[in-house]
Amino acid sequence: ILDGKLQSAALDEHIYHEALVHPAMLLHPHPRRVLILGGGEGETLREVLRYGTVEVAVMVDLDEEVVTLCRTYLPEWSARAFEDPRARVVCGDARDYLQRTADPFDVILQDITDAVTDDFAEAYYQAIGQRLADGGILAMQALELNLGDYAGHLRIREEVGRVFPCLSSYRAYIPSFRADWGFLLATAAGVAPLAPGVIEARFRERLGSGAGLEFYGPPVHRALFTLSRDL
């Protein structure tokens, strides 16, 4: 819990993190460089490093104390991802990092507590767009997505849509959040939906049998993006 808000629970953190990471990593044709904004517990990093194509994964988290405490007392959550030679951890502000670095990334994963929808949001997402390589994908948590509560998700779509013309919303039920939680994929040029056979083939090629995964798989991938007509 941070600032009174539930962040992760051992019961179901795998649902949230697998849903956040794997759709973008599977949709990208060859994800080699990945940037994680937030992700202090190391679970997002853990999922990214399942991919043998990944050469470097940079994780930028504002709260060094959270990172240190999780590495010390919750090592099973990150599954030693912090010790992987491909991992690079930067403790600092995501906006500052985006402005300082000139490195391109194939996939950027935004795993921060509150989505950026303030007066500086457009400049922030523009900075993300500048750090995405050609064909790059932004994936992010995007608040609740259900008929009872979707206003926050819609606002995020509107903010991100000012920079990225191609958006795809999807969702997964997170028991500890007691909600259908929304996620968002954003690209500059769009990502063609993968045919079922291609999804299965990429999954086998990149994740093998899926050992270690508890939630995500090809049928779940398709289900995540299947929203009801009213939504």
Side-chain angles (χ1 to χ4, degrees), residues 42-160:
E43 298 151 325
T44 301
L45 183 63
R46 175 196 71 205
E47 296 304 317
V48 166
L49 293 175
R50 292 187 189 277
Y51 290 80
T53 60
V54 172
E55 299 170 1
V56 61
V58 179
M59 186 188 106
V60 181
D61 195 280
L62 180 65
D63 198 329
E64 184 174 5
E65 186 177 15
V66 167
V67 175
T68 300
L69 288 170
C70 289
R71 292 184 71 167
T72 303
Y73 296 105
L74 298 172
E76 67 278 8
W77 282 23
S78 60
R80 301 189 64 81
F82 290 114
E83 284 70 51
D84 192 298
R86 298 172 293 167
R88 179 185 167 206
V89 178
V90 178
C91 290
D93 183 77
R95 300 185 201 223
D96 292 342
Y97 180 84
L98 290 166
Q99 292 173 354
R100 291 197 319 269
T101 188
D103 295 334
F105 294 93
D106 301 308
V107 174
I108 296 180
L109 301 163
Q110 181 167 284
D111 183 16
I112 61 176
T113 305
D114 296 309
V116 178
T117 55
D118 56 25
D119 293 340
F120 304 99
E122 186 169 352
Y124 173 74
Y125 292 119
Q126 285 175 344
I128 288 178
Q130 291 167 358
R131 299 281 65 81
L132 279 174
D134 290 343
I137 301 174
L138 166 66
M140 57 192 293
Q141 73 88 4
L143 305 181
E144 292 190 38
L145 180 54
N146 56 74
L147 276 180
D149 190 349
Y150 63 86
H153 183 89
L154 183 59
R155 185 178 178 194
I156 293 170
R157 276 188 64 103
E158 291 171 348
E159 294 285 0
V160 177

Side-chain angles (χ1 to χ4, degrees), residues 149-179:
D149 190 349
Y150 63 86
H153 183 89
L154 183 59
R155 185 178 178 194
I156 293 170
R157 276 188 64 103
E158 291 171 348
E159 294 285 0
V160 177
R162 299 181 197 278
V163 176
F164 294 94
C166 302
L167 305 172
S168 295
S169 293
Y170 64 101
R171 63 178 179 169
Y173 183 73
I174 314 294
S176 62
F177 292 177
R178 298 184 179 183

